[in-house]
Amino acid sequence: MYFPEFKEEEGKMVRNPFSSTLDITTIPNDVQDELLDLKNYSAAKDLYEEKSLNVFWYSMHQSYPKVSVIALRLLLPFSTTYLCESGFSTFLQIKNKSRNRLHVDPNMRCALSVTQPRIRQLDENNVSLPTDVW
C-alpha cells in the first residue's frame, strides 16, 4: 500500500480549505479553531488561488501549524512516491544490457538533478567531460 488511510473531510480540507461544503465538525476539535481562522483570512485565500497546494500549505505552517501538519502529511506521500518512481525509471534506463556498469551514481546524479547543465560554458572553458555522460 503506497498511501496511508485518511478521512474524506481531511482530503477536502487539504484540496480546498475555503470550500463552503467543507463540514468543519468532522475535523478534530483541536484543529477546528485554526481552520476557521484560516477560512476567514483573506490573504490566505489569495495565496491559495495563486500558489500550488504544496507551497500554500508550507507557507501556512507558521500561522496555522495544526492544520498545515495534517495537510502536509496528506500531500507528502504523493511527491515522494513520484520522486522514487522517477529514480527507478532513470536507473533502469541507465543500467541496461548495452550499458551495464557497476557504478551508476554520477549518471543518476546528472539525470535526476533539477539543475540544468551549462554545456556550452564548460566547452568554452575546455573542461573535459566523461564520454559516457553524453
Side-chain angles (χ1 to χ4, degrees):
M1 183 165 149
Y2 276 151
F3 303 109
E5 295 286 327
F6 60 90
K7 298 176 185 170
E8 185 179 340
E9 285 301 314
E10 287 179 351
K12 286 180 184 178
M13 178 192 74
V14 171
R15 285 189 305 271
N16 187 357
F18 304 100
S19 172
S20 59
T21 60
L22 180 62
D23 185 12
I24 294 178
T25 59
T26 59
I27 306 295
N29 291 335
D30 58 331
V31 181
Q32 287 180 6
D33 290 337
E34 273 191 15
L35 184 58
L36 285 171
D37 288 345
L38 175 66
K39 283 183 77 147
N40 294 316
Y41 186 46
S42 61
K45 187 169 185 172
D46 293 341
L47 188 65
Y48 170 79
E49 291 172 358
E50 294 172 8
K51 304 292 182 179
S52 69
L53 279 178
N54 293 337
V55 172
F56 169 75
W57 283 113
Y58 182 74
S59 63
M60 293 294 112
H61 186 68
Q62 291 289 344
S63 305
Y64 306 100
K66 293 176 185 175
V67 178
S68 65
V69 163
I70 291 172
L72 293 172
R73 193 176 306 136
L74 211 72
L75 293 171
L76 187 63
F78 293 100
S79 58
T80 54
T81 301
Y82 166 77
L83 292 173
C84 185
E85 294 288 338
S86 66
F88 280 123
S89 178
T90 301
F91 177 77
L92 290 174
Q93 287 177 344
I94 291 173
K95 193 160 178 94
N96 58 29
K97 285 183 182 180
S98 63
R99 204 169 175 192
N100 192 8
R101 288 186 165 204
L102 186 58
H103 300 288
V104 295
D105 297 353
N107 293 339
M108 290 283 291
R109 187 175 301 116
C110 185
L112 295 174
S113 175
V114 294
T115 305
Q116 294 294 321
R118 295 174 289 187
I119 302 297
R120 287 197 177 113
Q121 185 179 3
L122 290 172
D123 187 41
E124 289 171 1
N125 295 332
N126 294 324
V127 175
S128 61
L129 294 174
T131 57
D132 66 338
V133 173
W134 302 98

